[in-house]
Amino acid sequence: MDQKTLIGFILIGAILLFWPTYLDFIAPEPTEEGSTYQTQEVVLGDNPTEITKSSPEPTTISNQSSLESFFVIETPLFTTKISNKNGGSFDSFLVTKHLKKSEETLDLIDGENKNNLLVSYINQSGEEIFLNEFWGEKRVSFDGGKKSVVLGPENPTTTLSYVLEVGGKTVQKDLTFSYDSYKVVVNTNLRGVREEILDGRFRLDWFGGLPITEPTQDAMFLEGLVGQSGDIESYSLGSAGIFGGSSSDIERDTKQYTGQAEFVGYRTKYFGVFFVPQKTDFVELSKYSTGGRAAIDIVTSQNINFEQVDVFLGPLEYEEIGRLNVGIEEKILGWQWLSSVSWLVYRVMTFLYSLIPNYGIVVILFAVLIKTVTYPLMAKQLRSSKKMQELNPLMNTIKTKYKNNPTLQQQKIAALFQEHKINPLAGCLPMLVQMPILMSVFMVFRNTIEFRGESFVFWIKDLSAADTLFMLGEVPLNVLPFLMAASMYYTMQASTAAQPSGGDPAQEATQKMMKYMFPGMMFFLFYSFPSGLNLYYLCFNLMQIAQQKIINKEA
């Protein structure tokens, strides 16, 4: 590679590195006042409340209760405060697991999504009725009026029931919580106002999505998900640059899905909210930005005879998501077509953690395990490549001698391969076999929440985030990407160390250029990726160098 080409690659890398900072300087993120999120204030008695909805102004029903009240539920997995607004809605939801050392708490409810679990319907006059009041409490007290409960094996479930009077008739909404699950069973009984409801259908809405918890790369994971007929449809909110940043300026858009849907919901990188309705043939997702972050509204529509909706709110743990039995867990580990291999990778990783409770060590052991298991394939590939390189001078002679007769040239080369018992495709097949494993490792290590908040050694405090040593102005200095790129360079250097001279000059020039260019590209691509992923590929490359040297020393 000449000096000008090398300088060109360095300049391209510098542009990629500083581009997000430049964009933030010339086009700062909009403030909450400049967002497209619309808020209406509706006064209910002496208590104002907000309808975070851009639909036509709703018709309100007289209150069953004029005051907001709360009930606290504590489980080993979360602590939540339930409001009687909307007939039971999340006012806060504090997760207990997967906290970073810098986090005392992590609340999945913020000022943008408190208007959740809202029930509405269209009346016979075509008006949209929102039951957004403070409902009356039918059963939300224990122990002589104490408005809290701790769930556990001895007290596994509790149900909060709220009622509202609508036109002289009563409707009811029940929320059932379990001590060992993030799933909340929501039952909405509107049979008392059946005659008032057009087509006998009601809606359950969630407004505002979820707060951003991972500043780096989170926007690449923000997506609405809909399951239909066993397939999962993705509705992406936006994407971030290579070096992170979240999308906060999203043009409002709505996507509707007709036909039976197994689930509908929204995920960030590590957390999600999903509705699993008892039966529905219409769901809707609306994306926009609010409060400086991306947001999404979730709507399910179902017949009043099918009252139940299972609501999942919490971390995207494979086991917990799998208990919903609707296939979302296949999406959590990455690409669906690799789900079987990804599941195996995930199981091995969690098994190793059960033996050695340190995910940094697990990453290293996993890299050693993968290289050990795939060594026979890699050795076959390297030996085949080495034999091909040894034949390069003879092949170049044939190409030169028969350059005017391509057919005869190919026959002579084929005879040369047959004489030396070389299959030119032998070097490709082992790589094709290894690729699904390597891709699954990449997706699992990048997606699973198990790395969140897990430290390793020294400056590596969180394996789910970049290993920033310190900041150079607004640019983070991450160490592991440098080491990973350097190890990749030496891997490619080792692969060419034993090559005989006298090969094709054009091929040698290409190999020399790739020796610099490929590690550089991987460096910029992985710079803001989780440190656990960079640690894995660093160890993987070191093992590759050792194995390459063993092959090169063979006679």
Side-chain angles (χ1 to χ4, degrees):
M1 178 183 293
D2 57 33
Q3 184 177 8
K4 291 182 178 179
T5 304
L6 182 60
I7 293 174
F9 282 123
I10 294 174
L11 290 176
I12 292 173
I15 292 172
L16 289 173
L17 182 62
F18 290 100
W19 185 253
T21 304
Y22 171 71
L23 291 179
D24 288 340
F25 176 75
I26 64 171
E29 294 183 352
T31 61
E32 185 174 358
E33 289 77 8
S35 70
T36 60
Y37 193 67
Q38 299 178 9
T39 301
Q40 290 180 308
E41 185 177 275
V42 180
V43 178
L44 301 175
D46 298 326
N47 298 276
T49 187
E50 289 185 341
I51 303 288
T52 51
K53 176 74 176 174
S54 58
S55 301
E57 182 177 352
T59 301
T60 58
I61 309 299
S62 61
N63 291 345
Q64 185 74 16
S65 174
S66 61
L67 297 175
E68 185 170 18
S69 62
F70 301 98
F71 193 92
V72 176
I73 298 174
E74 182 178 348
T75 79
L77 302 177
F78 61 85
T79 298
T80 182
K81 183 166 68 172
I82 302 299
S83 169
N84 64 332
K85 185 178 185 295
N86 298 343
S89 59
F90 295 103
D91 189 76
S92 67
F93 192 94
L94 306 177
V95 296
T96 304
K97 300 171 63 178
H98 307 298
L99 295 179
K100 300 180 180 180
K101 287 183 171 57
S102 59
E103 296 173 335
E104 294 183 4
T105 61
L106 195 157
D107 196 350
L108 296 184
I109 303 297
D110 61 7
E112 309 302 328
N113 65 351
K114 282 194 175 184
N115 193 34
N116 53 72
L117 302 184
L118 174 62
V119 179
S120 65
Y121 60 86
I122 305 295
N123 66 13
Q124 297 295 341
S125 300
E127 299 173 300
E128 189 164 17
I129 307 300
F130 289 89
L131 306 183
N132 58 289
E133 297 85 350
F134 301 135
W135 292 35
E137 303 169 354
K138 185 175 180 181
R139 177 178 176 257
V140 289
S141 60
F142 296 85
D143 300 332
K146 182 182 178 182
K147 288 197 166 184
S148 65
V149 64
V150 178
L151 300 183
E154 297 180 354
N155 184 28
T157 64
T158 189
T159 299
L160 309 183
S161 298
Y162 299 91
V163 292
L164 181 70
E165 186 177 324
V166 180
K169 299 178 181 180
T170 301
V171 299
Q172 181 170 324
K173 183 178 173 187
D174 301 329
L175 282 69
T176 301
F177 297 82
S178 302
Y179 83 99
D180 60 348
S181 175
Y182 294 99
K183 182 179 73 173
V184 181
V185 180
V186 179
N187 274 281
T188 307
N189 185 347
L190 299 178
R191 284 170 287 178
V193 292
R194 179 192 302 269
E195 295 179 357
E196 298 295 324
I197 300 178
L198 184 66
D199 295 331
R201 307 190 67 81
F202 74 95
R203 293 180 13 163
L204 187 67
D205 298 356
W206 179 288
F207 298 125
L210 294 174
I212 299 293
T213 60
E214 320 300 317
T216 304
Q217 291 288 335
D218 198 288
M220 299 183 71
F221 294 86
L222 306 182
E223 58 180 346
L225 298 173
V226 176
Q228 289 187 306
S229 302
D231 294 327
I232 299 178
E233 299 287 336
S234 175
Y235 182 43
S236 178
L237 270 70
S239 60
I242 293 177
F243 297 96
S246 62
S247 300
S248 60
D249 187 14
I250 298 174
E251 184 178 354
R252 180 177 285 274
D253 187 32
T254 297
K255 195 166 185 179
Q256 299 176 340
Y257 300 82
T258 57
Q260 176 66 27
E262 289 87 32
F263 71 88
V264 59
Y266 170 65
R267 67 165 294 186
T268 60
K269 183 172 184 179
Y270 292 132
F271 299 92
V273 53
F274 296 100
F275 286 9
V276 183
Q278 185 176 355
K279 184 177 181 181
T280 180
D281 56 12
F282 175 85
V283 296
E284 179 181 286
L285 294 171
S286 299
K287 66 177 182 178
Y288 53 96
S289 61
T290 179
R293 69 167 175 83
I296 197 166
D297 294 344
I298 303 167
V299 173
T300 63
S301 174
Q302 57 197 98
N303 191 282
I304 60 173
N305 294 317
F306 299 99
E307 303 172 352
Q308 180 174 314
V309 177
D310 294 340
V311 177
F312 176 93
L313 176 61
L316 298 178
E317 297 178 7
Y318 185 88
E319 296 290 346
E320 293 294 334
I321 290 292
R323 291 168 65 182
L324 294 175
N325 295 317
V326 289
I328 307 176
E329 66 276 8
E330 295 184 5
K331 179 70 174 179
I332 300 307
L333 292 183
W335 296 311
Q336 285 180 266
W337 61 276
L338 274 176
S339 59
S340 298
V341 182
S342 298
W343 176 85
L344 181 60
V345 170
Y346 176 80
R347 287 299 186 190
V348 173
M349 183 183 73
T350 52
F351 171 74
L352 291 174
Y353 182 77
S354 69
L355 302 177
I356 306 174
N358 184 304
Y359 269 112
I361 297 177
V362 167
V363 167
I364 296 174
L365 290 178
F366 198 87
V368 173
L369 177 63
I370 291 296
K371 289 304 296 179
T372 301
V373 170
T374 59
Y375 176 73
L377 291 174
M378 193 208 72
K380 184 176 181 180
Q381 175 189 347
L382 294 178
R383 292 188 183 106
S384 176
S385 178
K386 187 177 181 181
K387 288 182 180 179
M388 290 285 291
Q389 293 163 0
E390 291 172 350
L391 291 181
N392 272 340
L394 295 177
M395 291 175 60
N396 290 335
T397 301
I398 293 175
K399 290 178 181 178
T400 301
K401 184 176 180 179
Y402 301 101
K403 63 180 180 180
N404 296 323
N405 192 340
T407 302
L408 185 58
Q409 180 187 107
Q410 293 298 321
Q411 292 175 351
K412 292 292 184 180
I413 292 177
L416 181 66
F417 288 157
Q418 186 175 7
E419 178 185 352
H420 290 82
K421 299 180 180 180
I422 293 177
N423 182 356
L425 300 179
C428 301
L429 183 59
M431 177 59 69
L432 293 177
V433 174
Q434 294 180 71
M435 281 304 294
I437 299 175
L438 298 178
M439 295 172 68
S440 294
V441 169
F442 174 83
M443 297 304 296
V444 170
F445 280 28
R446 188 165 176 246
N447 284 272
T448 52
I449 195 174
E450 278 76 8
F451 284 168
R452 190 178 195 275
E454 294 288 335
S455 61
F456 182 36
V457 293
F458 307 124
W459 75 98
I460 306 176
K461 304 298 183 183
D462 182 3
L463 290 170
S464 71
D467 65 313
T468 302
L469 187 61
F470 56 83
M471 300 292 293
L472 293 174
E474 296 185 3
V475 178
L477 179 63
N478 304 331
V479 179
L480 285 177
F482 285 96
L483 300 178
M484 186 274 297
S487 67
M488 184 169 291
Y489 169 80
Y490 282 109
T491 298
M492 302 184 73
Q493 177 71 18
S495 67
T496 58
Q499 289 186 16
S501 58
D504 186 354
Q507 184 178 356
E508 291 180 354
T510 301
Q511 291 177 347
K512 185 176 180 180
M513 180 179 68
M514 290 299 296
K515 188 168 61 176
Y516 294 98
M517 186 174 69
F518 190 70
M521 291 172 57
M522 295 299 290
F523 167 77
F524 290 113
L525 179 63
F526 276 65
Y527 194 77
S528 63
F529 278 7
S531 55
L533 195 59
N534 277 287
L535 177 63
Y536 169 79
Y537 279 103
L538 169 61
C539 298
F540 186 90
N541 291 336
L542 294 177
M543 288 287 294
Q544 175 88 358
I545 293 171
Q547 293 177 352
Q548 180 75 63
K549 289 184 178 296
I550 294 173
I551 299 299
N552 288 345
K553 288 181 180 179
E554 292 182 356

